[in-house]
């Protein structure tokens, strides 16, 4: 089994992490080290490179970029303005 794809960022002073679990096709969202949500990953989470089994550096960057983009959208959509 492949390791989870995990990426994080600071948004408005809070550390957020998105962890994609390939086995369940879910994304766990962490805020400040605690799980705040588990969401089914979008069907188009990764491009054709992943389906082709590409092991290139570009494919690896895409694997990290997709959960990061999801995380940024999640925070923008879900978190109320303070």
């Amino acid at each position: 089994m492949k390791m989870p794809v995990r990426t994080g960022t600071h948004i408005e002073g809070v550390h957020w992490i998105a962890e994609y679990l390939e086995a369940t096709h879910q994304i766990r969202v962490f805020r400040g080290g605690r799980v705040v949500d588990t969401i089914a990953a979008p069907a188009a989470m990764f491009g054709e490179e992943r389906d082709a089994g590409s092991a290139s550096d570009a494919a690896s960057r895409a694997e990290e970029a997709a959960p990061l983009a999801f995380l940024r959208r999640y925070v923008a959509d879900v978190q109320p303005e303070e």
Side-chain angles (χ1 to χ4, degrees):
M1 183 171 94
K2 188 172 182 178
M3 297 295 291
V5 177
R6 190 173 170 109
T7 187
T9 189
H10 279 85
I11 301 173
E12 296 183 14
V14 178
H15 187 68
W16 292 87
I17 295 173
E19 181 180 71
Y20 172 70
L21 305 166
E22 186 174 19
T24 60
H25 196 60
Q26 293 181 326
I27 298 173
R28 287 193 297 187
V29 179
F30 297 80
R31 178 180 184 208
R34 294 196 171 144
V35 175
V36 294
D37 211 346
T38 300
I39 303 158
M45 180 85 172
F46 298 102
E48 295 175 2
E49 296 87 3
R50 182 148 195 192
D51 294 336
S54 175
S56 70
D57 289 339
S60 294
R61 285 191 299 274
E63 282 192 357
E64 293 175 6
L68 184 57
F70 175 88
L71 179 61
R72 288 181 176 148
R73 171 56 86 191
Y74 174 88
V75 172
D77 289 348
V78 175
Q79 295 303 307
E81 302 234 359
E82 295 183 17

